[in-house]
Amino acid sequence: MLSIKNLTVNVNDKQILKGINLEIKAGEIHAIMGPNGSGKSTLSHVLSGKGGYTVTGGSATYQGKDLLEMAPEIRAREGVFLAFQYPVEIPGVSNIYLLKAALNSIRKHHGQPEVDAMDFLTLVKEKVRLLEMDEKFLYRAVNEGFSGGEKKRNEILQMAILEPKLCIMDETDSGLDIDALKIVSEGVNSLRSPERSFVMVTHYQRLLDYIKPDFVHVLAHGQIVKSGGAELALELEEKGYSWVEEAVA
Amino acid sequence: MNTATASRYTAEYQTIASVLPGQNLPWLQTLRSEALEQFSAQGFPSPREEEWRYTNVSGIEKKLFSPSVDLTTIDINADWLKAYRLEDAWVLVLVNGHFSAELSVLEGLPEAVTVMGMAEALAKQPDTVEKYLGKGADQSEHSFIAFNTAWFTDGLFVHVPAKLVLDRPIQLLHIVTGSDAMATTRNIVIADALAEAKVIETFISRDGVYAANLSGTDAALGQDSAYLTAAVTEVFVGKNADVTLYKLQSESEKAYHFGGCYVKQARDARFTHHNFAFGGLLARSDIHVDLDHASECELNGLYLGIKRQHLDNHTRINHLKPHAISRELYKGVLDDRARGVFQGRVIVSEDAQKTDSQMNNRNLLLSDDAEADTKPQLEIYADDVKCAHGVTVGQLDEKSIFYLQSRCVDEETARNMLTFAFANEMVDKVKIKSLHDKVLEQVLVRFPQQGVNKEWL
Ligand SMILES: Nc1ncnc2c1ncn2[C@@H]1O[C@H](COP(=O)(O)OP(=O)(O)O)[C@@H](O)[C@H]1O
Ligand SMILES: [Mg+2]
């Protein structure tokens, strides 16, 4: 699905990612953990095509194609989805409009006709129920005036409707109370499939109690310093990040 | 006496003076001659005046626009007009500054309500007009008002008696035809205590490119005509009355437009103004509001500038008595070499304790050559007040563009969506459906629409 090789990235001439290697196969869930400032969001942004980052070396291959060459919207249409750490408010554009525009451009990209209006509404309402959201959120401007938790839920709603192949979730758990965390996790788990992969970026282990990763990687100072199975997350929870950070320092 | 005058227009005045309405009214003749004297001495406002510092109207002196004496030679196609007349409104049409009964639609007005041309009002109820004309607009303010008082040929006169609620809006449709024309109109809107009225001022040009765009024909740029519109509207909102005024300015691309709206609100009165400044080469709007005890006003504005348009919006809110509330939001979208100006003054007098005022101006620049000048001014002489103001001038937010791209929207469409969304906030405040749709249509004509679907607007 995704193969990252020796990826180095600069921001304003400062090296932030210092040679990332990561292999993600279809159906796998990878957790990327690390202290604040270790480069987790940078990696998520670079994979989804945000501007302001300079790739100075290495590669990222997605389904056999050079991911880093594609415009952000092409990546999205090809199935890469970023659930933002800080979802952006878009006043004046309704949630449901954006969902429909996004879904239709994915369909167009794959040579399919536009979604039928009734089918779309049925699909959207089903996912709204799954995430225990109020339908009125659909008609509100994208993320405008949403609470932190509502924004995160809205990201997962979009993900559930667009059915991406590679889901990158940047700190989806932050800002969620325990009930919301359960609901969001159920939403994510319902999307698990042998064709879909997840990269879950998180600072804490608690999300991983609900969504069990196949692999855990520890990112520190722009490098993956340790990889392991789900048990690595527990170890980190217990010992903190200092022991892995010290390993590179 | 024959002193030197500051304007070429003064010399032309005699050609029209004898046909202006109200010849038999000494009070009006006095008012007009005082105004003419003032204008002659000053000429059109100069950028040396603080409130005109961003706007140079000397182009009006370089041309010599002429008023039309009557309607006999003017041709307006009735089908064309349909595109601009609101179907659910009473419509009063002014062509080159003269009321056209033939083109207007005034059937079914409640008997107690007066809606007529200003010339007719001066003939039929001069005493009422005398009580109001010049009482809202202060001639000494600047010479455009004096110019208007001296030159006005006609206008709209509306009087809604106490407690009467008009269930349909009144549309005042200003049309200018041909090049080098001049349309100078004076309007008075009176709502007595507890009355409610909505008035829509629409400014269009018969020969504008933009008019052609809307009616589906493809006029060449060169056909756009240069002319001058100078309209002054005085509004009197009685105790507990409620007046909403919409201004949809879609003059031709070469036109000069001055439109002033001067409002006196009585105790507990409510006034809302929506100002859509879309047309004109150089367009200036003045909106001045005087607030009495516990009255409320809301001023909304949207200016969309393209090419070399210069759109100036000048507002003044006078909090004269305690407990009044004012809300103001002006937004500008400026592309190409367009320039937008916002000068907003809020003056809270010593007596106006418990004033609650908010003023905001937000500008979106779409090109490196576009410019926004914004100058909010708060003058507060009372101590127990709540006043806030804010201004922004910026480009589209890159974070928002990326967010939309990450949701499959290409960059160009994302930019268009965000631009429309920015402007549409003001369009959405229009609650009259037919007007809302017309305003929206005009916003869409002015900016690239690719990828923008009306469904989300
Ligand atoms: N736009 C930027 N300009 C300068 N430094 C940045 C920028 N974005 C991120 N950084 C720096 O890059 C490092 C990694 O940031 P980030 O990827 O946000 O970390 P994380 O998501 O793991 O907390 C931090 O040291 C941060 O200060
Ligand atoms: Mg982060």
Side-chain angles (χ1 to χ4, degrees):
Chain A
M1 173 80 59
L2 179 68
S3 168
I4 303 174
K5 292 214 167 76
N6 206 19
L7 184 68
T8 54
V9 172
N10 279 14
V11 177
N12 300 333
D13 292 331
K14 184 180 158 213
Q15 193 171 48
I16 306 290
L17 298 184
K18 300 171 182 168
I20 302 281
N21 290 290
L22 200 57
E23 289 293 328
I24 298 173
K25 296 204 172 61
E28 291 176 352
I29 298 190
H30 291 244
I32 296 183
M33 302 184 70
N36 279 330
S38 56
K40 304 184 297 297
S41 291
T42 302
L43 179 61
S44 312
H45 289 153
V46 168
L47 293 177
S48 45
K50 189 176 180 184
Y53 300 92
T54 316
V55 176
T56 50
S59 65
T61 310
Y62 168 72
Q63 294 191 315
K65 295 177 193 158
D66 182 354
L67 185 65
L68 304 175
E69 278 293 300
M70 297 180 206
E73 65 272 18
I74 305 297
R75 303 183 198 197
R77 292 171 197 167
E78 289 273 339
V80 177
F81 184 94
L82 170 65
F84 283 60
Q85 179 174 7
Y86 303 108
V88 182
E89 300 194 9
I90 314 277
V93 177
S94 80
N95 230 348
I96 191 153
Y97 174 80
L98 181 58
L99 283 167
K100 198 171 180 181
L103 188 60
N104 277 331
S105 54
I106 293 172
R107 294 176 68 100
K108 192 171 167 202
H109 188 73
H110 292 106
Q112 295 162 341
E114 289 204 346
V115 61
D116 170 79
M118 285 312 292
D119 294 348
F120 175 69
L121 214 56
T122 311
L123 168 75
V124 169
K125 288 187 172 176
E126 178 203 319
K127 301 300 182 189
V128 162
R129 270 195 304 278
L130 174 76
L131 289 159
E132 299 186 24
M133 288 171 73
D134 193 321
E135 271 185 32
K136 70 173 195 285
F137 279 99
L138 290 172
Y139 302 97
R140 282 173 57 177
V142 178
N143 294 322
E144 192 185 31
F146 290 22
S147 72
E150 286 161 353
K151 285 180 183 165
K152 294 303 178 70
R153 253 192 242 205
N154 200 38
E155 295 290 286
I156 305 306
L157 174 72
Q158 295 173 347
M159 193 167 100
I161 289 163
L162 301 181
E163 301 191 314
K165 298 196 187 79
L166 175 64
C167 307
I168 304 166
M169 297 161 60
D170 191 0
E171 308 252 8
T172 296
D173 50 337
S174 67
L176 292 182
D177 63 29
I178 195 73
D179 292 327
L181 186 66
K182 280 185 196 163
I183 293 161
V184 163
S185 304
E186 276 166 35
V188 173
N189 285 325
S190 74
L191 288 170
R192 293 186 70 161
S193 101
E195 286 86 47
R196 185 169 293 132
S197 313
F198 293 83
V199 176
M200 286 195 301
V201 168
T202 179
H203 186 79
Y204 301 105
Q205 125 83 21
R206 64 178 198 149
L207 177 67
L208 309 181
D209 288 339
Y210 300 96
I211 308 169
K212 195 169 173 295
D214 302 302
F215 301 94
V216 173
H217 311 276
V218 182
L219 190 64
H221 304 300
Q223 280 180 297
I224 291 178
V225 293
K226 204 166 171 54
S227 294
E231 70 291 342
L232 179 57
L234 293 168
E235 204 176 336
L236 282 168
E237 179 84 347
E238 201 180 300
K239 300 188 186 168
Y241 285 110
S242 50
W243 63 280
V244 282
E245 280 195 280
E246 278 155 19
V248 276
Chain B
M1 58 163 214
N2 207 346
T3 52
T5 68
S7 169
R8 292 163 72 199
Y9 285 82
T10 303
E12 302 291 312
Y13 190 72
Q14 295 321 318
T15 63
I16 187 163
S18 64
V19 296
L20 294 174
Q23 295 290 321
N24 60 333
L25 301 171
W27 63 267
L28 183 57
Q29 292 307 95
T30 307
L31 206 58
R32 285 202 196 260
S33 68
E34 284 169 6
L36 181 65
E37 210 170 297
Q38 191 197 325
F39 176 78
S40 305
Q42 297 175 348
F44 288 106
S46 122
R48 286 189 301 273
E49 294 171 45
E50 180 56 26
E51 299 195 327
W52 289 81
R53 61 183 286 193
Y54 300 108
T55 298
N56 188 340
V57 300
S58 59
I60 299 172
E61 281 290 343
K62 290 188 190 115
K63 306 250 176 192
L64 192 59
F65 299 111
S66 350
S68 75
V69 176
D70 57 39
L71 286 178
T72 45
T73 59
I74 296 162
D75 171 37
I76 299 285
N77 180 309
D79 280 338
W80 172 84
L81 189 61
K82 270 191 202 144
Y84 299 94
R85 243 179 356 212
L86 295 175
E87 60 271 25
D88 50 2
W90 289 293
V91 188
L92 192 139
V93 178
L94 294 171
V95 184
N96 294 348
H98 295 277
F99 170 55
S100 163
E102 190 192 336
L103 298 173
S104 299
V105 182
L106 296 170
E107 288 84 45
L109 267 166
E111 216 163 287
V113 178
T114 309
V115 177
M116 57 172 71
M118 182 58 81
E120 189 182 346
L122 284 166
K124 288 185 178 162
Q125 32 183 295
D127 298 346
T128 314
V129 180
E130 184 181 1
K131 268 196 273 174
Y132 292 97
L133 201 143
K135 303 299 191 294
D138 178 1
Q139 207 139 291
S140 63
E141 186 69 48
H142 58 68
S143 52
F144 253 114
I145 300 173
F147 177 82
N148 178 279
T149 304
W151 261 266
F152 79 84
T153 48
D154 210 333
L156 167 74
F157 181 79
V158 174
H159 187 180
V160 185
K163 295 186 190 161
L164 196 139
V165 175
L166 271 185
D167 58 352
R168 287 158 67 181
I170 298 164
Q171 183 186 19
L172 173 60
L173 187 48
H174 297 260
I175 305 170
V176 178
T177 68
S179 265
D180 302 326
M182 174 165 114
T184 310
T185 52
R186 184 66 158 252
N187 313 302
I188 293 178
V189 176
I190 309 155
D192 288 341
L194 293 156
E196 283 181 32
K198 294 181 171 60
V199 177
I200 301 158
E201 283 189 86
T202 310
F203 294 88
I204 55 170
S205 138
R206 186 193 59 187
D207 313 314
V209 169
Y210 167 66
N213 264 343
L214 279 187
S215 53
T217 48
D218 207 0
L221 256 170
Q223 288 190 355
D224 237 9
S225 49
Y227 58 85
L228 170 66
T229 294
V232 167
T233 303
E234 299 179 84
V235 183
F236 303 88
V237 195
K239 277 186 191 162
N240 231 315
D242 191 334
V243 171
T244 304
L245 209 140
Y246 301 85
K247 175 177 173 180
L248 178 51
Q249 187 272 97
S250 316
E251 306 275 21
S252 94
E253 285 191 354
K254 291 187 187 157
Y256 291 85
H257 171 99
F258 171 78
C261 176
Y262 306 91
V263 186
K264 298 271 187 209
Q265 289 185 239
R267 214 185 155 96
D268 300 313
R270 287 174 305 285
F271 174 73
T272 309
H273 193 269
H274 301 267
N275 179 9
F276 296 100
F278 296 162
L281 176 65
L282 189 155
R284 156 84 170 218
S285 261
D286 273 11
I287 296 117
H288 291 190
V289 183
D290 285 352
L291 292 171
D292 200 340
H293 199 281
S295 56
E296 297 179 23
C297 81
E298 182 183 332
L299 305 184
N300 298 308
L302 175 66
Y303 42 103
L304 303 182
I306 53 176
K307 298 181 184 169
R308 287 175 170 274
Q309 282 184 288
H310 181 108
L311 303 172
D312 180 358
N313 303 281
H314 181 104
T315 69
R316 188 186 307 163
I317 300 171
N318 283 313
H319 281 265
L320 300 170
K321 291 282 158 62
H323 292 285
I325 300 173
S326 62
R327 293 286 178 270
E328 177 166 18
L329 174 59
Y330 265 69
K331 282 182 145 185
V333 184
L334 302 158
D335 202 354
D336 306 327
R337 310 183 71 86
R339 185 171 176 196
V341 178
F342 173 80
Q343 286 199 85
R345 257 172 95 184
V346 173
I347 305 161
V348 181
S349 66
E350 215 174 320
D351 200 15
Q353 299 297 355
K354 306 285 180 194
T355 286
D356 177 356
S357 167
Q358 284 177 22
M359 169 171 47
N360 264 289
N361 174 228
R362 299 180 58 201
N363 295 281
L364 185 56
L365 301 181
L366 299 180
S367 101
D368 289 343
D369 297 322
E371 181 179 333
D373 298 294
T374 171
K375 193 173 163 214
Q377 290 166 277
L378 287 181
E379 294 163 39
I380 302 173
Y381 303 102
D383 46 32
D384 183 14
V385 300
K386 216 166 67 189
C387 292
H389 72 285
V391 300
T392 55
V393 177
Q395 281 107 37
L396 288 171
D397 176 28
E398 293 298 326
K399 274 197 207 121
S400 304
I401 294 168
F402 175 65
Y403 188 80
L404 292 174
Q405 285 183 284
S406 78
R407 299 303 178 254
C408 311
V409 178
D410 65 86
E411 186 182 338
E412 190 189 344
T413 303
R415 287 182 182 276
N416 292 345
M417 278 170 79
L418 293 169
T419 305
F420 275 98
F422 179 86
N424 193 49
E425 181 188 357
M426 304 318 290
V427 181
D428 258 355
K429 290 182 189 284
V430 177
K431 298 304 175 203
I432 300 170
K433 174 83 171 74
S434 57
L435 178 63
H436 171 273
D437 293 353
K438 282 208 179 359
V439 174
L440 180 58
E441 188 176 4
Q442 300 201 10
V443 173
L444 289 167
V445 166
R446 275 164 192 277
F447 287 101
Q449 302 173 50
Q450 118 91 48
V452 173
N453 193 325
K454 272 194 191 177
E455 158 191 354
W456 62 270
L457 289 165

